[in-house]
Amino acid sequence: FCDSSLTSIIIPPNVTEIEDYAFLRSDLTSINIPDSVTHIGEFAFCKCYFLKSVSLNHTTKIIEASTFQHCVNLTSIDIPNNITSIGKNAFDECTSLTSITLHEGIKHIEDFAFRNCKNLQLITLPNSVVSIGRGAFEGCTSLTSINIPSNVSSIGDCAFENCSNLSFMSVHTDNKTYDSRENCNAIIHTKSNRLIRGCNNTKIPNSIQSIEHNAFSCCLKLRKIKIPKNVSKIDERTFLGCTKLQEINIPHITSIEE
């Protein structure tokens, strides 16, 4: 059905697998995945530009890479608790997506899974999530807040880069890897005292020793920031694209990258 002009289809109850690229660039407007299907392949519904509605089943375990990439008319998705992993680029460039419902059971959000979902305003990560991949929410420019659950032990580079309206960030107090000490509105790697991501309202705690590259990139509402005296290094591109930044207080920096 690749490149098909088909706008609707009923998948028979005896179908157990939807193969890679099965409906790539088709004209489907909605799809209902029956419970008989246990595997949906990579790129299966990629570039289905007219797809507005998806009903996932309760037997599939993984949303594979790029499954719904570039489905630009998809406005919402409810991901059931049987899904344990959202693959690389799974919903990348779903630019109309405003609502994502994630249930307990999801453990891994892979690289670029929701990149450039520019109309996504809110997402609640369940406590079952343990890893957030590189660039997972990069370019989600309407996202205003994010809370990192207690079991997250890995956050990839630039996971929240170019989230230009992000103003509130917090980490669950039971998280053993990351924290948002002193209500700082930032994500801090606890053991190294390294700030890995800030936002428009971040106040850097005095205990911070280093700032990750791209930590404040494209924080379009950030106007001023104070760097604590314990910070000795600011990595490259830390304040890239902070076009309204007017004041930086830098007391004891020994190294500032490009």
Side-chain angles (χ1 to χ4, degrees):
F1 299 101
C2 181
D3 291 310
S4 170
S5 60
L6 195 70
T7 60
S8 65
I9 189 171
I10 297 175
I11 299 175
N14 60 334
V15 172
T16 59
E17 179 177 358
I18 298 174
E19 295 187 354
D20 296 353
Y21 305 96
F23 295 94
L24 175 71
R25 292 187 302 269
S26 74
D27 290 347
L28 286 175
T29 58
S30 65
I31 189 71
N32 180 33
I33 311 295
D35 283 342
S36 59
V37 174
T38 58
H39 177 76
I40 302 172
E42 296 181 0
F43 297 90
F45 299 96
C46 179
K47 296 184 179 180
C48 290
Y49 298 124
F50 303 101
L51 187 64
K52 294 182 178 181
S53 173
V54 174
S55 178
L56 296 172
N57 63 20
H58 294 86
T59 51
T60 303
K61 299 295 184 184
I62 297 173
I63 297 178
E64 299 286 357
S66 300
T67 300
F68 297 101
Q69 187 177 18
H70 293 289
C71 290
V72 296
N73 273 303
L74 187 64
T75 57
S76 65
I77 187 75
D78 187 324
I79 299 176
N81 59 10
N82 49 287
I83 300 293
T84 61
S85 179
I86 301 173
K88 183 178 179 181
N89 300 94
F91 295 93
D92 184 12
E93 296 284 351
C94 290
T95 53
S96 295
L97 198 60
T98 60
S99 174
I100 301 169
T101 303
L102 303 178
H103 295 276
E104 291 290 341
I106 294 173
K107 293 182 177 180
H108 307 287
I109 300 173
E110 303 291 351
D111 298 351
F112 312 112
F114 296 101
R115 181 174 60 177
N116 291 334
C117 293
K118 63 181 183 179
N119 282 303
L120 181 64
Q121 298 178 6
L122 177 67
I123 186 167
T124 301
L125 302 178
N127 288 327
S128 55
V129 173
V130 297
S131 67
I132 300 171
R134 180 171 179 259
F137 296 95
E138 179 184 345
C140 292
T141 54
S142 295
L143 193 65
T144 59
S145 66
I146 193 73
N147 178 64
I148 304 300
S150 58
N151 291 315
V152 172
S153 59
S154 174
I155 299 176
D157 288 348
C158 305
F160 300 98
E161 184 179 358
N162 195 22
C163 293
S164 54
N165 281 298
L166 197 58
S167 297
F168 301 98
M169 307 187 81
S170 65
V171 179
H172 195 284
T173 53
D174 291 337
N175 191 297
K176 299 184 184 304
T177 306
Y178 303 100
D179 68 83
S180 53
R181 65 193 69 167
E182 301 173 32
N183 295 317
C184 62
N185 273 316
I187 301 173
I188 297 165
H189 185 260
T190 303
K191 186 176 181 179
S192 64
N193 290 313
R194 185 173 181 83
L195 191 150
I196 65 169
R197 183 63 201 183
C199 67
N200 291 315
N201 289 326
T202 295
K203 293 183 179 179
I204 304 175
N206 290 329
S207 54
I208 296 303
Q209 296 179 0
S210 61
I211 301 175
E212 186 81 49
H213 64 276
N214 292 94
F216 291 92
S217 62
C218 297
C219 288
L220 299 184
K221 297 179 181 179
L222 184 66
R223 295 185 178 275
K224 63 179 180 179
I225 196 80
K226 181 180 180 181
I227 310 297
K229 64 180 181 180
N230 290 326
V231 175
S232 60
K233 181 180 180 181
I234 299 176
D235 281 353
E236 69 271 17
R237 303 187 303 276
T238 295
F239 296 102
L240 178 70
C242 295
T243 55
K244 293 185 178 180
L245 186 59
Q246 299 174 345
E247 178 183 338
I248 306 179
N249 187 324
I250 307 178
H252 292 91
I253 299 298
T254 60
S255 176
I256 300 178
E257 302 291 339
E258 292 183 2

